[in-house]
Amino acid sequence: MGTLLYRAFSVIENFRGLPVAHVHWVPLRAERLRFGPLDELVADYRELSAEELSITRGYLDEFLTPVEANQLRRALQAGFGYTAELIGTPVPIPCRNGSGEVIYPFRALPESTWKGQEIVAHRGKLELPFDILALWKGNHTEGGF
């Protein structure tokens, strides 16, 4: 089995005024994802323009390493009682959608995509080596994911 990087989400009842919220958890690290050379992490790396590569770096930074994914899962459960689901994506990660367009990071999507967003600082709240950005929407048909 190959290497996987992860995205994390939770389905939470009675969250920020929504009966059911779908929350995407995005790591906010001080540095870029350090899991391997970019050309090994990104599918079709050599075919990306400089602008596309910049967008791709931001997209890739929103993934979690296996260690980070497990840390986040434990921290959300211990800190808030939230269960986090992990979606594994095999490396190299495709960074284009079905139309051939570069996939944008969640953080770069228009604000209207989300019902809300909030940075959760790890200091004093979660046992993590990084902060996380919570981005939520009310149901699966509302923008985003």
Side-chain angles (χ1 to χ4, degrees):
M1 186 169 179
T3 303
L4 299 175
L5 291 177
Y6 296 89
R7 284 194 167 221
F9 75 95
S10 299
V11 177
I12 305 170
E13 293 182 5
N14 301 314
F15 184 84
R16 306 295 197 272
L18 296 172
V20 177
H22 299 269
V23 183
H24 300 277
W25 305 105
V26 176
L28 300 175
R29 300 178 196 84
E31 296 184 8
R32 291 203 173 274
L33 176 72
R34 302 280 187 215
F35 196 68
L38 200 56
D39 61 336
E40 292 179 15
L41 296 177
V42 176
D44 301 325
Y45 168 79
R46 303 221 185 286
E47 297 174 17
L48 296 169
S49 69
E51 182 181 345
E52 290 173 328
L53 189 55
S54 177
I55 296 165
T56 297
R57 282 187 174 118
Y59 175 66
L60 188 64
D61 283 345
E62 292 188 348
F63 284 83
L64 298 152
T65 67
V67 169
E68 290 172 335
N70 286 312
Q71 287 174 325
L72 177 62
R73 193 187 244 170
R74 283 191 305 272
L76 289 172
Q77 182 64 49
F80 302 111
Y82 300 153
T83 300
E85 300 293 326
L86 301 176
I87 300 172
T89 302
V91 172
I93 293 176
C95 294
R96 294 186 186 275
N97 63 22
S99 302
E101 298 171 358
V102 172
I103 301 171
Y104 276 78
F106 284 157
R107 298 180 314 252
L109 295 176
E111 217 173 284
S112 61
T113 301
W114 309 102
K115 289 286 186 187
Q117 59 183 329
E118 178 182 325
I119 293 175
V120 181
H122 70 282
R123 291 170 198 82
K125 293 186 181 180
L126 296 175
E127 290 188 38
L128 286 172
F130 50 84
D131 294 340
I132 54 174
L133 175 64
L135 296 161
W136 62 89
K137 54 189 174 182
N139 65 53
H140 284 301
T141 61
E142 294 177 344
F145 198 65

